[in-house]
Amino acid sequence: MLRIAVVGSGPSGCYTAQSLVQQDPDALVDVLDRLPCPYGLVRYGVAPDHEKIKSLQNNLRTVLEHERVRFLGGVQIGPGGVPTTRLRDLYHAVVYCVGAATDRHLGVPGEDLPGSWSATEFVSWYSAHPDSVDDGFVLGARSAVVIGIGNVAVDVTRMLARGTAELSPTDMPQAALTALGASRVTEVSMVGRRGPSQARFTTKELRELGTLPDTAVSVDPAELALDPAYADPSGLPAPQRRNIEALRAWAEAPPQDARHRIRLRFFLRPVELLAEAGRVSAVRFERTAPDGRGAVTGTGRHEDIEAQLVLRSVGYRGVPLEGLPFDTTTGTVPHTDGRVLREGRVAPGEYVAGWIKRGPTGVIGTNRPCAKETVTSLLQDAAVLVRREVAQDPLTALRAEGVEPVEWPGWCAIERAEAELGASLGRGVVKLPDWESLLGAAHHNAL
């Protein structure tokens, strides 16, 4: 029988495990994760008020509860943990589903000023990622600039405009709820360097901004008109046409009085973050214009937008994992059909799936066919892989080397502790926000 390690318990890891046990009736799969909690970006990346998407956890849960799948949380792979070479010794095959763990930078002066953050850091804070820190994101801020026009940018913009009453029913950690409830941010500008026909947000998420209580959304019709496709969007794909329709409705609507105002801006490229009293105070943008080839070019005209909080949301990027080859240009592991390539040759027993395989593209469901392709490759190689002797039970070997994973009962104990915390606060489930509380719940209550 094949013993397989899947590194990463997000959607790509769970779909890989699911495909393995469905296609090979004898496969035994260990799903390892650095965190004590499963589900990856579904737990720590999906906005807390998007309960329908978060309910995907129930589907992933079914995978991890399969009799031939074992969840091993709190296991670091690489420096300070289990070396990739050791993992390779313990299993017939290893599938790396480690995602794209960092964010892209703007590369402009002032980007590292206090008050300037990646959207990833902000999302991790309000999603209770145990590596996040509460550094007073909204403290003292009156206006915010979100750089980017994708769904993550829409998410963080929406969170800045939400009130306590709307966020309290979510699983947001209490400290983030309190901070956002006390926030004085009333103006949020979401800014893109290109036009509305090239925006990456989906229409459903875009329109949701217009449903927020006591919030007015405004769009400058002159900026929309800079997009050649705005006047006649008939040649655009349906999603982009619907985006144009939503933006046109806001551009033509009369001004509204509201506590929060969201401004959607286009054809502005950040060139510098400006400081006042040692903190970010504004973002200087250069007006751009379409170049006729799908990109934009600078015009030399500039505009400053006030902001005491700046969140950049310009994409994710994979990071190298010690012991694996890495393409620094694409931020991915070189592969062919999911088989890892070392110096152009297939590395037996090593595979990738998800963002570390194809880059940070697609939606959650895109991980399913991606995982299936990798599993097909792995099972084609199975007859050779199974000949190699491995540990009878890798978990026994790992424990002998001092590794103490959080197994499924430990995760269930964390769930119970989060339900108890929520009940004590008069809320529903409330996430535990740090390593100490997570591990304490896992090890103390896992009965």
Side-chain angles (χ1 to χ4, degrees), residues 221-247:
E223 287 184 345
L224 296 181
L226 294 173
D227 193 325
Y230 178 69
D232 180 14
S234 60
L236 293 173
Q240 281 70 40
R241 286 202 310 272
R242 290 192 291 267
N243 285 345
I244 293 287
E245 291 167 5
L247 293 166

Side-chain angles (χ1 to χ4, degrees), residues 85-155:
T85 52
R86 180 57 178 148
L87 206 60
R88 185 73 186 86
D89 289 340
L90 294 172
Y91 295 89
H92 292 113
V94 182
V95 187
Y96 295 94
C97 305
V98 291
T102 191
D103 59 277
R104 295 183 183 275
H105 289 254
L106 300 172
V108 301
E111 185 172 10
D112 296 326
L113 281 168
S116 169
W117 306 88
S118 72
T120 305
E121 292 170 309
F122 188 60
V123 170
S124 292
W125 169 66
Y126 69 60
S127 298
H129 194 292
D131 289 341
S132 70
V133 291
D134 182 0
D135 274 336
F137 290 93
V138 297
L139 189 63
R142 303 177 305 278
S143 57
V145 165
V146 178
I147 300 172
I149 45 176
N151 277 345
V152 174
V154 173
D155 280 348

